[in-house]
Amino acid sequence: MEASSGEYTLPPSTYSSEDIIFCIDTHNECLREMKAKGAEGQAFTRLDAIKQSILLFITSKLTINSDHRFAFCALGNSPFWLQKEFSNTPESALASFRKITPHSSSDQADLTQLFRAAAHEAKRSRAQNRILRLILIYCRSSVPPHHKWPATQKLFTLDAMYLHDKPGAENCPQKVYDALVDTIEEVSEYEGYVFESGEGLPRILFRNMCVLLSHPQQRCIQDDIDIPKSLPKKSAAVEITAGGENVPSSSQELSM
Amino acid sequence: MAVDTIPPLINAQLNYLRSNAPFSIKVEQMWSGCRNPSLIDRFTLAIPFCLDYIKWDVIYNAQNPLAAPDVIFGPEDEAFHPFRGMREESLSNSKKNCLLEWNYKDPACLLTLILQLRDLYMVYQKQRVGEVDDERLKFELGTIISKEGLEMYMSSGVEKPEEVRFAVPLLGMDINKIVIGSSWRQQQKIYLQVIFPVVGKFTNKPPVPRLKLVSTPDLRAVLSVEDVRLLPWSDGMCLAEYLPTLEELLASQIKDAVTLIELRRQFIVALAPFFGRPLEADSVFCRKASFLSVSGIFTFVVHFALTLQFPKQPPLLVLQSSQHFDLRGAAIKSSSLTEYPWSPRWDVSEMAERIFDFVADECLNFRKICNESVHQQQR
């Protein structure tokens, strides 16, 4: 299905509840520290930020629509399930997180098996009038992912969130990012989104996770994303106009 | 410790019933009737009938799961003897006695049996109602007896006055087709529940029946029949006169409900120039939409909920932070915001603009509350 471009419309059409699989990269690069500290001043790793962002996603997504469901897997040396059964409680996320022990140092990231599992789940979801989405959270700065999934099989939507080190002589985050973009194009049923961040700021990760809340059947193409949209910062008397963004004018007349 | 299990053959029957029943049959309780208490072979089914539920116990035997089950009816129905001396033509489904032809290999058997018994129960209730010695009731019954889908129930018992309850289906139209894009699997219907007390002799002032509109649950996304003001039952009123007027009223309510869907749709679309493309919007009933906003570096989700009273009632707003979490790790939400400048007479663009202004201000309060809440947690 083509993602729409241009002015927003909301035609009357069914849209399905989602079954969303989070795939967390447990390569030891996920233990790199973010530019933030935990509540008691302890180190805050990428994995910590990822877990928090998943909880953010789940609790927000369930507020949007309590019928969406989630499952969890991890990508170490190879993909493995943390929780295969879909459920709609944040507690199931916490239970899955407890099973994560990051230790992989593989220089390979073959996603074929992951896609095969997702495709299998997608068939079951479809039988229940749901759509399947796979959100891959990837942390390797030197290992571009690859796959042998046939381009004709577009059974689920693929999104990617990429956390990486700053580009340097020893790594290739740009190559990794490009590989993710290509993979999404090859594999995803609906428009898939990819976000990257090398800054190490949790709030950027959280913001991008919120953009991923977008329902695949109602998305625009990534180039046209206009969210989060800025609200004007109101100060006492003066209005601030921000660039080309939409700012409401304060109306002088009383409209009743 | 043994885990309770249902023998596979019995479980297959129960699952088939749950997935394929044309209306929602509930399993109320399950227990064991055999020496091994962890083998579950008995359960109570609550079966929709005449806008209420009849409860029947289904008794299998875990030691002999190939045999057909027994069914025990409610205490009020001691006179209900299906399959015994009933005339062939009163069976609305297959003329075969499903119990005599029980095929344990076919998972549909239980559902077939229950549906057959329910049809026979309807015939039984029809007979009971027909035998009531109440002239007015006989007259009313005569005017509605041919309505497709009519159900009736005679309620009596110690301490209870005799009453007859009718479930009169209204509006022959296919409501499902009226809402475009709906994926309702069950046929949506509206019924008038009419309860006549049984009085016997024909009087000049027969008692006013109790009236209530009831709809299938999914329809509530579009129309709340409980909010429809019923026409009063005047002196000398009868169903033959009451029903057509009611159906006219309902048809116009449904028409209004569909118009309101479109108005809510226009409102959601009018929000987009201000709030950006929604993360997700209810494209069928247009009751909800969520957007992602940012004020400075504070990113948050704005959830809109539109009631059926929109635009008389303003949308309910809830803000949800992307950066503040409670002790369980959930993203902090504001309380429901409904107090803001609003007029149902504004056009949708103005409504959107005013709400945009309100959220721009309110999110600063919200951020303060979130910061305080997180600060409290850290103490």
Side-chain angles (χ1 to χ4, degrees), chain B residues 57 112 120 209 351 363:
Chain B
D57 290 342
T112 309
L120 290 169
M351 289 175 178
C363 71

Side-chain angles (χ1 to χ4, degrees), chain B residues 7-184:
Chain B
L9 279 173
I10 300 173
N11 201 21
Q13 299 280 336
L14 196 52
N15 282 335
Y16 186 92
L17 180 143
R18 277 176 165 142
S19 318
N20 294 281
F23 31 73
S24 167
I25 300 180
K26 298 190 203 151
V27 179
E28 290 225 321
Q29 36 170 350
M30 307 185 77
W31 69 100
S32 169
C34 62
R35 256 178 255 144
N36 181 351
S38 65
L39 274 181
I40 305 295
D41 57 359
R42 300 176 178 206
F43 43 88
T44 305
L45 293 180
I47 300 151
F49 183 80
C50 201
L51 302 178
D52 198 343
Y53 290 93
I54 43 177
K55 301 200 183 170
W56 292 344
D57 290 342
V58 179
I59 312 291
Y60 278 95
N61 181 355
Q63 247 97 55
N64 183 12
L66 308 186
D70 213 342
V71 182
I72 303 182
F73 309 114
E76 276 193 12
D77 295 321
E78 286 189 352
F80 178 47
H81 303 297
F83 300 140
R84 193 206 290 183
M86 296 223 106
R87 291 194 305 261
E88 290 272 299
E89 62 237 52
S90 60
L91 287 173
S92 51
N93 285 331
S94 131
K95 293 194 177 154
K96 287 183 277 194
N97 179 336
C98 172
L99 279 173
L100 290 177
E101 314 235 342
W102 187 261
N103 175 8
Y104 67 86
K105 289 196 205 134
D106 180 3
C109 266
L110 178 62
L111 178 60
T112 309
L113 172 64
I114 297 294
L115 292 178
Q116 216 169 50
L117 287 173
R118 189 183 181 280
D119 283 342
L120 290 169
Y121 188 77
M122 250 206 298
V123 171
Y124 155 77
Q125 284 290 348
K126 230 182 202 166
Q127 265 186 347
R128 288 186 79 202
V129 172
E131 284 160 5
V132 168
D133 187 12
D134 180 323
E135 288 300 319
R136 187 263 204 118
L137 202 60
K138 280 195 176 2
F139 167 74
E140 294 283 18
L141 177 60
T143 62
I144 56 172
I145 189 87
S146 55
K147 278 196 184 283
E148 171 100 34
L150 172 74
E151 292 187 357
M152 62 193 82
Y153 180 82
M154 163 84 176
S155 100
S156 63
V158 192
E159 309 279 324
K160 269 198 292 186
E162 272 197 329
E163 286 182 335
V164 171
R165 182 172 82 230
F166 292 109
V168 187
L170 299 171
L171 298 172
M173 61 165 84
D174 184 353
I175 301 176
N176 288 34
K177 291 216 172 69
I178 290 173
V179 180
I180 312 168
S182 73
S183 55
W184 289 322

Side-chain angles (χ1 to χ4, degrees), chain B residues 51 170 175 187-193 212-226 250:
Chain B
L51 302 178
L170 299 171
I175 301 176
Q187 181 61 43
Q188 300 303 306
K189 285 187 123 57
I190 304 177
Y191 295 89
L192 178 67
Q193 181 184 278
K212 188 164 85 156
L213 279 173
V214 182
S215 80
T216 41
D218 287 341
L219 195 59
R220 284 198 208 114
V222 168
L223 174 68
S224 172
V225 292
E226 292 83 22
L250 269 180

Side-chain angles (χ1 to χ4, degrees), chain A residues 3 11 17 39 108 144 179 224 231:
Chain A
S17 297
Q108 279 282 331
D224 288 352
L231 294 171

Side-chain angles (χ1 to χ4, degrees), chain A residues 4 6 8-15 18 39 52 55-56 59-61 63-66 68 90-91 94 128-129 203 206-207 210-211 213-215 218-220 226-234 246-249 251 253-256, chain B residues 180-183 185 265 268-269 272-284 286 288 290 292-297 299-301 303 320-323 325 328-331 333 343 346 350 353-354 356-357 359-361 363-364 378:
Chain A
S4 51
Y8 176 70
T9 59
L10 186 63
S13 59
T14 39
Y15 66 105
E18 294 196 72
Q52 189 143 73
L55 282 175
L56 163 64
T59 52
S60 307
K61 191 74 169 154
T63 308
I64 292 174
N65 181 348
S66 57
H68 296 307
E91 285 73 32
L94 292 170
Q128 297 172 57
N129 291 322
R203 69 172 173 80
F206 299 155
R207 187 189 72 191
C210 284
V211 182
L213 291 167
S214 323
H215 194 294
Q218 298 183 345
R219 287 182 176 182
C220 60
D226 61 349
I227 58 172
K229 203 149 166 95
S230 257
L231 294 171
K233 273 181 103 171
K234 301 289 188 73
N246 197 325
V247 174
S249 55
S251 45
E253 78 273 32
L254 289 173
S255 0
M256 293 294 285
Chain B
I180 312 168
S182 73
S183 55
R185 260 178 266 168
R265 189 187 308 282
I268 293 175
V269 171
F274 296 96
F275 288 94
R277 185 181 197 86
L279 294 169
E280 186 172 319
D282 168 8
S283 54
V284 180
C286 303
K288 306 190 279 190
S290 294
L292 188 64
S293 299
V294 62
S295 172
I297 58 165
T299 305
F300 57 98
V301 182
H303 302 283
Q320 187 161 23
S321 173
S322 76
Q323 292 157 232
F325 306 93
R328 280 170 27 234
K333 287 195 274 208
S343 167
W346 293 334
E350 171 134 29
E353 183 171 343
R354 298 288 195 120
F356 184 62
D357 281 346
V359 174
D361 282 337
C363 71
L364 301 175
Q378 284 166 355

Side-chain angles (χ1 to χ4, degrees), chain A residues 30 55 85 90 96 135 153 161 169 174 181 187 249:
Chain A
C30 75
L55 282 175
E85 290 307 313
S96 295
I135 300 180
Q153 297 252 16
M161 187 72 81
Q174 184 64 55
V181 170
V187 162
S249 55

